Amino acid sequence: MSKYSIKQFVQQTKQEESARDFFELETDRLLEVNLNGQVWAKAGSMISYEGNIRFEREGMLEHGLGKFVKKALSGEGAQLMKANGQGKLYVADSGKKITILDLEGESIFINGNDLLAFQDGLDWDIKLMRRVAGMMAGGLFNVRLEGHGLVAFTSHYEPLTLLVTPDTPVFTDPNATVAWSGNLEPDFVTDVQLKSFFGRGSGESVQMKFSGNGFVVVQPYEEIYHAPQG
């Protein structure tokens, strides 16, 4: 039998049936949700499902007026959908690599554009980065999640985690910053010389500074955020 036959192709790429956790990485870039209830996912991330699953876009005031106002200010990047029912749900985001974390009472900030899915029951809130909004096209926002449950986020290529200590603050490009521990609050600093050195008006002139004890996750890619069209 040819190694390029349809039978070989199906055998190599078919879904994995052995594991049955709530979140499973079917591939590095495809998340399987074994649904028996409800899950939150990034709007538009569903690529396939089987079973009895209903999809509903997040209601305007479903999480209160405060979150609705924040979402309106942050554009459409934080748009979520609910999936309810029983079955298998497959989600992905532009072929980006997926990381799963099991929060055990901890908290984490995730860039709003990189949040893929999270288990119902986690506490979450949108945090606007007002100080940087005027410095970069589209500004930036993030989502803080806390409690017990699974969360999946995406990155362009493999993520790198940098440890932050009181003696070693970490500086990152906002366009390459994916997530950070929930106890850290980044400051924003500008460097005109660095902007001139790179010769372009992208994120290099605005840096995120993380101080204290924790971690920050970056990706080897500068994601460009566009301001919502009004």
Side-chain angles (χ1 to χ4, degrees):
M1 181 176 58
S2 170
K3 64 180 180 180
Y4 300 117
S5 67
I6 290 179
K7 184 176 180 179
Q8 282 289 91
F9 171 76
V10 171
Q11 183 66 30
Q12 293 169 4
T13 61
K14 69 179 181 179
Q15 68 186 79
E16 176 61 52
E17 295 289 353
S18 60
R20 290 278 68 87
D21 287 340
F22 183 68
F23 278 2
E24 289 286 350
L25 284 179
E26 194 65 30
T27 72
D28 286 345
R29 304 171 193 280
L30 183 60
L31 178 69
E32 176 187 279
V33 183
N34 292 294
L35 193 60
N36 183 18
Q38 178 172 291
V39 69
W40 289 94
K42 185 175 183 178
S45 63
M46 186 276 290
I47 62 168
S48 180
Y49 74 91
E50 58 186 66
N52 183 22
I53 300 177
R54 302 177 307 280
F55 298 92
E56 181 182 350
R57 189 173 287 270
E58 179 187 7
M60 289 178 59
L61 299 178
E62 182 163 351
H63 300 285
L65 181 60
K67 286 184 181 178
F68 169 68
V69 172
K70 292 177 185 178
K71 290 175 65 61
L73 291 173
S74 63
E76 297 185 358
Q79 195 74 48
L80 297 170
M81 67 176 182
K82 288 186 297 183
N84 285 282
Q86 293 182 320
K88 295 182 186 297
L89 169 64
Y90 297 94
V91 293
D93 185 10
S94 302
K96 294 164 68 176
K97 184 178 176 64
I98 300 171
T99 299
I100 300 173
L101 295 178
D102 189 357
L103 299 186
E104 299 177 333
E106 304 108 327
S107 60
I108 189 171
F109 286 96
I110 298 177
N111 184 302
N113 194 56
D114 299 320
L115 180 60
L116 180 63
F118 60 93
Q119 202 162 4
D120 190 39
L122 283 171
D123 293 326
W124 64 277
D125 195 12
I126 295 172
K127 303 291 185 180
L128 294 176
M129 298 181 180
R130 293 182 179 88
R131 291 180 57 191
V132 78
M135 305 177 191
M136 303 177 62
L140 287 175
F141 66 96
N142 54 76
V143 180
R144 186 180 191 274
L145 301 108
E146 183 175 16
H148 291 80
L150 295 166
V151 57
F153 65 87
T154 61
S155 61
H156 288 276
Y157 312 106
E158 283 68 31
L160 172 67
T161 299
L162 304 170
L163 298 182
V164 181
T165 68
D167 297 329
T168 311
V170 172
F171 296 82
T172 66
D173 183 331
N175 288 333
T177 306
V178 175
W180 57 93
S181 49
N183 61 306
L184 297 181
E185 288 285 349
D187 290 322
F188 291 90
V189 295
T190 57
D191 191 327
V192 176
Q193 289 183 331
L194 189 59
K195 178 179 179 181
S196 301
F197 176 76
F198 280 93
R200 56 192 174 118
S202 65
E204 286 90 358
S205 62
V206 181
Q207 303 155 29
M208 299 175 74
K209 179 183 179 181
F210 295 89
S211 303
N213 281 294
F215 64 87
V216 56
V217 182
V218 294
Q219 61 184 1
Y221 184 94
E222 291 182 86
E223 195 149 12
I224 305 300
Y225 304 98
H226 299 285
Q229 300 298 314

